[in-house]
Amino acid sequence: MINIAAQHCKRSSKLNFTILLLMCFAQVSTITSFTFAQQTRIKLTATAPLESTADSEDNGNAFATQNPSEAFGSPLSKEIKEFNSNAVEFLKTVVFDTAFSGEDREYARFYALETIARMPYFSYLSVLHLYETLGWWRKANYLKIHFAESWNELHHLLIMEELGGSKRWSDRFIAQHIAVAYYWMVVLFYMYNPTFAYNVNQHVEEHAYTTYDNFIREHGEKLKTMPAPQVAKDYYRDGDLYMFDEFQTSTCEPRRPKMENLFDTFVAIRDDEAEHVKTMTNLQTHAELTSTNDDSCIVPEEAFELA
């Protein structure tokens, strides 16, 4: 009986110690993030003071009248943009071309791509919510756009899961662990310079667009003989299309993809990735973004078409 009691106390001590460690880690992480954000805020206010505006959404806070890059970021040099492009290409080769290569591995590759591609939008929302809570910036429009982008990527992921892309435990393990690490990386990128974070994601989305475009070109005829997944029909055609319209920032005309077969599904996903590229590119400028749901919808002058 004494031995049992001793073992129980020992297990309880280990559990309490583990809980204490987790609490300390959470506290240190919170303090570190807050300190980093505070230093970023000090740097910005010291180097780029802004005058208050009367029509601000934040009662005179001029940061509230700007997009995140204009409010908290700084322009990138050509060398940094090229570095980001090369880094994304390198990681694509190391991870996707290695772990997800082989016959009939396309859906697993797309599953991993969509699992990871959602993370930047979560990161943007986390940081912007922090800034809003601290009273530094308040622009609900961008919170809404980024959430709509994450909602779009979620449905890409659901489509790939319905197609069987997540069947292997190893594929889920790799994709989910990379996604968690990527989330925190983008949080730091965004707190340091939103323009940098948007540029990295621009190259990621360009890779996604090219990946889907090549897949459609190679397997188009086969895809036309296969039915569209139900989740694709619900998201693109039959359901509430408000969130789908919300992430379209390069046009004021609603997109309405047809959804008759799997070919249509992948065309719609590819075109979604093009929209993400345009949004990420325009967010690196002074453009004020709107969506097709806005009464005052305006197409940014920087809007462009992918080749």
Side-chain angles (χ1 to χ4, degrees), residues 132-201:
E132 183 182 59
T133 301
L134 297 176
W136 294 351
W137 184 86
R138 181 167 294 139
K139 193 71 173 176
N141 185 46
Y142 291 97
L143 294 172
K144 188 168 61 168
I145 289 173
H146 288 324
F147 180 77
E149 289 176 310
S150 73
W151 190 252
N152 175 256
E153 299 288 11
L154 166 64
H155 285 81
H156 293 179
L157 179 62
L158 293 175
I159 290 169
M160 300 312 157
E161 289 178 345
E162 188 170 332
L163 293 173
S166 61
K167 289 189 297 185
R168 291 189 186 182
W169 177 87
S170 59
D171 293 339
R172 298 195 303 273
F173 181 88
I174 293 172
Q176 292 167 0
H177 282 73
I178 292 176
V180 172
Y182 187 40
Y183 167 84
W184 287 108
M185 284 177 56
V186 178
V187 165
L188 294 177
F189 291 164
Y190 201 80
M191 295 177 80
Y192 173 70
N193 186 354
T195 311
F196 181 86
Y198 287 139
N199 184 257
V200 170
N201 196 39

Side-chain angles (χ1 to χ4, degrees), residues 38-109:
Q38 192 174 36
Q39 290 174 345
T40 303
R41 171 68 169 183
I42 291 173
K43 179 184 71 173
L44 288 166
T45 54
T47 57
L50 297 173
E51 297 180 357
S52 297
T53 55
D55 59 348
S56 168
E57 290 186 18
D58 195 22
N59 298 325
N61 183 356
F63 282 122
T65 65
Q66 303 168 314
N67 73 36
S69 287
E70 189 176 6
F72 300 105
S74 58
L76 303 181
S77 66
K78 180 180 179 181
E79 290 74 19
I80 292 179
K81 293 180 180 180
E82 289 179 354
F83 174 82
N84 289 342
S85 178
N86 293 333
V88 170
E89 181 64 27
F90 172 77
L91 292 175
K92 169 247 180 186
T93 302
V94 170
V95 177
F96 290 98
D97 293 349
T98 302
F100 300 96
S101 62
E103 189 177 355
D104 297 327
R105 294 285 286 154
E106 289 91 354
Y107 294 156
R109 181 190 181 101

Side-chain angles (χ1 to χ4, degrees), residues 144-275:
K144 188 168 61 168
I145 289 173
H146 288 324
F147 180 77
E149 289 176 310
S150 73
W151 190 252
N152 175 256
E153 299 288 11
L154 166 64
H155 285 81
H156 293 179
L157 179 62
L158 293 175
I159 290 169
M160 300 312 157
E161 289 178 345
E162 188 170 332
L163 293 173
S166 61
K167 289 189 297 185
R168 291 189 186 182
W169 177 87
S170 59
D171 293 339
R172 298 195 303 273
F173 181 88
I174 293 172
Q176 292 167 0
H177 282 73
I178 292 176
V180 172
Y182 187 40
Y183 167 84
W184 287 108
M185 284 177 56
V186 178
V187 165
L188 294 177
F189 291 164
Y190 201 80
M191 295 177 80
Y192 173 70
N193 186 354
T195 311
F196 181 86
Y198 287 139
N199 184 257
V200 170
N201 196 39
Q202 172 197 331
H203 295 298
V204 172
E205 297 292 6
E206 285 174 350
H207 158 64
Y209 174 88
T210 302
T211 299
Y212 285 121
D213 190 56
N214 291 338
F215 178 72
I216 291 169
R217 293 175 188 274
E218 294 174 10
H219 304 280
E221 294 305 316
K222 179 181 178 181
L223 294 173
K224 290 177 181 178
T225 66
M226 304 170 70
Q230 185 60 46
V231 65
K233 296 177 183 178
D234 293 339
Y235 178 67
Y236 287 109
R237 190 188 66 191
D238 300 336
D240 186 347
L241 298 179
Y242 179 88
M243 293 299 292
F244 175 69
D245 291 338
E246 188 59 37
F247 86 97
Q248 320 278 338
T249 64
S250 66
T251 178
C252 293
E253 296 296 327
R255 256 180 69 213
R256 292 295 178 260
K258 64 177 183 177
M259 202 53 52
E260 298 176 0
N261 50 49
L262 197 55
F263 177 84
D264 295 337
T265 301
F266 277 99
V267 168
I269 293 173
R270 180 202 61 188
D271 293 346
D272 289 349
E273 305 298 354
E275 287 297 323

Side-chain angles (χ1 to χ4, degrees), residues 17 24 28 113 121 149 194 223 227-228 230 245 280 282:
F17 181 70
C24 290
V28 170
L113 178 65
Y121 306 112
E149 289 176 310
L223 294 173
Q230 185 60 46
D245 291 338
M280 293 299 102
N282 287 326

